[in-house]
Amino acid sequence: MAILDFDITVGDCVCARYPSNAQLPFSDDKLSALCIPEGGHIFEEDHTFVLCKEPVTSDQLFGLAYFRNKKDPTVKRGAVMRSIVLLSRRPFFSFYLPLLREALRRFMD
């Protein structure tokens, strides 16, 4: 699992991982491209599905990235934009979405 920050001043970055030493199957740049929806600045929230192979075992991984755009007039863009992504060996997307929504809300608030 990872949380990504899409900052207009410093660029995209992974700002948190769980566990902290987690090896994700993508580079940080590719992960940020997968986890921000097209037109993200227009919508308050969105989610994206990600399919990939686990690098060591080649097991199928199912990913869900939940994106939130929270208005904030104190930042240059006028909003804080972040995503949380969860990779799993099971495609439990409908179970994970409310959990990711709440986790990112708490992280951002």
Side-chain angles (χ1 to χ4, degrees), residues 23-105:
Q23 296 296 318
L24 301 172
F26 304 107
S27 67
D28 289 358
D29 286 345
K30 183 166 182 169
L31 190 62
S32 67
L34 292 170
C35 293
I36 188 168
E38 186 67 34
H41 61 286
I42 298 170
F43 304 104
E44 268 187 46
E45 67 176 346
D46 201 351
H47 61 277
T48 306
F49 302 101
V50 178
L51 299 175
C52 62
K53 297 287 185 179
E54 201 280 326
V56 176
T57 65
S58 294
D59 290 343
Q60 181 66 53
L61 294 177
F62 302 90
L64 179 61
Y66 170 72
F67 169 83
R68 185 171 176 212
N69 177 356
K70 182 180 177 186
K71 303 295 183 217
D72 183 345
T74 66
V75 297
K76 188 172 184 177
R77 175 179 272 157
V80 175
M81 296 169 46
R82 291 198 174 127
S83 282
I84 185 170
V85 61
L86 174 75
L87 298 172
S88 171
R89 292 190 187 335
R90 301 281 186 250
F92 298 149
F93 299 121
S94 61
F95 176 75
Y96 294 141
L97 184 58
L99 299 174
L100 294 178
R101 182 179 287 127
E102 183 63 15
L104 189 58
R105 185 193 65 79

